Each structure stands twice: as structure tokens, then as C-alpha cells.
Amino acid sequence: MSALLEVRDLVVEFGTEAGTVHAVNGVSFDVEPGEMLCVVGESGSGKSVTAMAVLGLLRRPPARVSASGIRFRGEDLLAATPDRLRALRGDDISVIFQDPMTALNPVHRVGKQIAEVVRLHRPVTRKQAWQRAVDLLTLVGVPDPDSRARQYPHEFSGGMRQRVMIAMAIANDPALLIADEPTTALDVTIQAQVLGLLRKAQRETGAATILITHDLGVVAEMADRVVVMYGGAIVEQGDVTTVFAAPRHPYTLGLLESLPRLDRDTEELTPISGSPPNLVAPPVGCTFAARCPVAAGRDRCVTERPGLVPLAPGHASACHFHEELVMAR
């Protein structure tokens, strides 16, 4: 089965007064039809920038985007015209942004905004588009959808606004859905509802989904495969069971060890020491070396940047000493 989305050697840089920010450095991954790929990492690791580069939503300048290829169904998105990208976005590729209050237009009714997405990509009347909007609100669990469609975004709670964003994203049955931290700032009960809704939306549309998050609990619940990013690069990737059971990068291990667990009697969590690297002047060697217990001053870690090395089918790690990682879990 050929990949739905192929990203090869993606590099994104931003020109700033402080210098060039190397936000994404040589990222490559595939997304298969119908799968849930979770991209996880700390804030500033390059997750959202990678997604925005794929969608062609980064302003150039200050952004500089290059890659060996970004292909959707075999079509080179880097070579696509702005009109072609606009035709793809909202139709074959949809996105759910992190903050629905800023993504939704505050002066237009919710139903109108959903109907507009439909009319931009489908030859339907206003009445048909409005009915589709109401049907979508019903699908995502908004109560009394006929009257709620006539309300404005500020009249919705955070969780309900996120349901509206999901309704807009699936309006035209996309092949690829990108959800950029869709549960940020929601309480755990609403978060669970939104995640369940994303699963339902995936089943309804058959879409492949890229879920960007910093929450490993979300990854464990949702992912088929996981990509771990740090310092603008992929440091580990594989199926979710393998990565959680036998992580082969110290950063992945650190993320997992910092989580509270029910099967251990632990008084204190184990945080990752230090801070993420300065991407204006990234380190010469491994970007995680300064925080890594495995590096421990080894010259190779600070002088040579590790590449992503296959360990098993579908599992790869960017660590010089990955074989030393044995996790007692």
C-alpha cells in the first residue's frame, strides 16, 4: 500500500533579528491511509511547524521551507500553486487548530462558517450547505443543532467550539486530517470526549490522521504509530506498542519516566533535567546530549549528530548508544 502522505528531508528555517532559527531539520515520515499517527514532543520541538509546512501555511518570508519532497497522493505539494493548495485545504486535507476561539470568526454564526467550507468545495445551494452544517453539528454531538447553528462562537464553551472545528474539518470527507493539539486547555472530561469524537470522525470519513500532542496519555490511547520530535528533528519513531514498551532513545525514555503510573509506588516523578536547545545556535552533536544521562560527557554525543537508524521493521532511533537502553517497566 502506497503512503497517502510522504515527507522527505523537510527543513524549515525562520529569519529573525537574533539569527536564523532552525525550527525543523531533515524530518522524514509517511502517513498511511486510515492510520492515526501521533507526533509528540515538548513545546518548540517543531511539531506544529512541520504540519504548517506540509499545509503550505507558513508565511515566506520569514519562513524558508525546503524538502526532497512533500507528496500527497503522489502530488508534489511544494510545487503546487497557491490556488491548488487552497483547493486541497478543507477538502482532501483538513486541519483542526489548537485554539478554536481564534480559528473561528467571531462575527459570523457557527452554521454559516461550516456551510461556507462546504460551498467552497461542493456544488451545493446555500440551503443544502446549511443543512449539511446542521447535520455535522448533530454528528459531533452538539445539542439542539438547529438553534446552535445560529449562534456565535463566543456563545459556545471551549469543548463545544472544538466540536465545531471538528465538524468543519470533516465537512468534505477529507483523506487526511491534521489535529494540532486539539485538547489543549480542556479539562480531562471534555478532553476524553473530544478524543472520542476524533476517533468517531476518523471512522466516519476513513481519513488518515496526524495528531500533534505533548501528552503521552493521548498517544497511548489514540496512536497506531508515533513520531517523537526533539530540537526540530525526529529522534524516534515506530508503532505505539513498541515505542512505549521498549523505547530506544533517552528522550522518549525520559518522557515516559516523567509520567505518573498506577503500577508503581512512587513518591516523586522523574523530570527531564535542563532545557531544550537554542535553535538559533543548535549544538553540533546530538541536540539532546546536554540533558541526556546516557551521553554522560561522551565525545561522540557532543561532536557527531546521530542519524535515524532502523532497529526493526518500522522502528528507528537517532541515538549513538541506543543499544544501552534497557527499560525496567
Side-chain angles (χ1 to χ4, degrees):
M1 179 166 33
S2 60
L4 179 70
L5 176 70
E6 301 171 81
V7 178
R8 295 290 180 270
D9 305 316
L10 175 64
V11 174
V12 182
E13 299 174 337
F14 294 93
T16 71
E17 291 182 358
T20 299
V21 177
H22 304 275
V24 177
N25 184 18
V27 164
S28 299
F29 63 91
D30 291 341
V31 181
E32 304 296 335
E35 79 165 335
M36 175 77 73
L37 175 71
C38 282
V39 182
V40 65
E42 291 172 278
S43 296
S45 60
K47 308 183 301 296
S48 295
V49 172
T50 296
M52 295 303 102
V54 169
L55 291 165
L57 290 176
L58 295 177
R59 188 185 299 275
R60 305 190 212 180
R64 296 191 291 271
V65 180
S66 63
S68 299
I70 302 176
R71 294 180 175 83
F72 175 73
R73 288 176 169 165
E75 179 179 356
D76 188 355
L77 298 186
L78 283 177
T81 64
D83 285 345
R84 176 56 181 155
L85 288 174
R86 277 192 293 271
L88 285 171
R89 292 193 297 257
D91 189 9
D92 293 312
I93 305 174
S94 285
V95 60
I96 303 168
F97 293 103
Q98 185 177 91
D99 184 358
M101 195 59 194
T102 57
L104 292 168
N105 191 320
V107 301
H108 290 293
R109 300 178 194 275
V110 162
K112 179 181 178 181
Q113 295 186 58
I114 300 173
E116 182 181 16
V117 173
V118 177
R119 295 191 71 223
L120 279 172
H121 299 282
R122 297 289 184 270
V124 297
T125 64
R126 290 181 185 275
K127 183 177 180 179
Q128 289 171 327
W130 181 267
Q131 186 56 53
R132 173 65 171 159
V134 172
D135 292 343
L136 286 162
L137 290 176
T138 303
L139 178 65
V140 298
V142 174
D144 195 12
D146 288 285
S147 61
R148 296 288 265 170
R150 293 177 172 81
Q151 293 181 329
Y152 294 91
H154 72 270
E155 298 178 89
F156 284 67
S157 67
M160 284 296 167
R161 284 195 292 267
Q162 199 59 281
R163 289 172 185 265
V164 172
M165 290 299 299
I166 294 172
M168 293 176 69
I170 66 174
N172 294 310
D173 298 324
L176 176 63
L177 183 62
I178 299 175
D180 187 2
E181 303 207 36
T183 58
T184 297
L186 300 178
D187 66 54
V188 291
T189 303
I190 304 302
Q191 181 185 74
Q193 293 174 4
V194 170
L195 292 176
L197 187 56
L198 277 175
R199 274 293 193 196
K200 180 181 178 181
Q202 188 183 31
R203 289 194 302 268
E204 292 284 340
T205 62
T209 303
I210 301 175
L211 177 59
I212 298 168
T213 183
H214 59 267
D215 188 334
L216 286 175
V218 171
V219 175
E221 181 179 350
M222 301 290 289
D224 297 314
R225 287 193 303 120
V226 58
V227 165
V228 183
M229 291 189 68
Y230 181 81
I234 295 174
V235 295
E236 186 166 6
Q237 63 181 354
D239 71 85
V240 67
T241 302
T242 300
V243 171
F244 271 63
R248 297 293 292 273
H249 193 279
Y251 179 61
T252 310
L253 179 59
L255 290 176
L256 290 168
E257 288 293 282
S258 66
L259 290 176
R261 294 179 56 180
L262 297 177
D263 60 343
R264 287 184 184 176
D265 185 14
T266 305
E267 294 185 0
E268 295 183 0
L269 299 179
T270 306
I272 301 174
S273 62
S275 301
N278 178 4
L279 295 182
V280 174
V284 175
C286 175
T287 54
F288 191 61
R291 308 172 72 185
C292 180
V294 175
R298 287 166 155 164
D299 288 341
R300 188 180 182 191
C301 293
V302 296
T303 60
E304 180 185 341
R305 180 163 295 186
L308 202 60
V309 177
L311 308 176
H315 189 199
S317 171
C319 177
H320 294 306
F321 302 102
H322 59 81
E323 71 279 355
E324 296 181 13
L325 293 179
V326 177
M327 189 174 184
R329 292 179 67 79

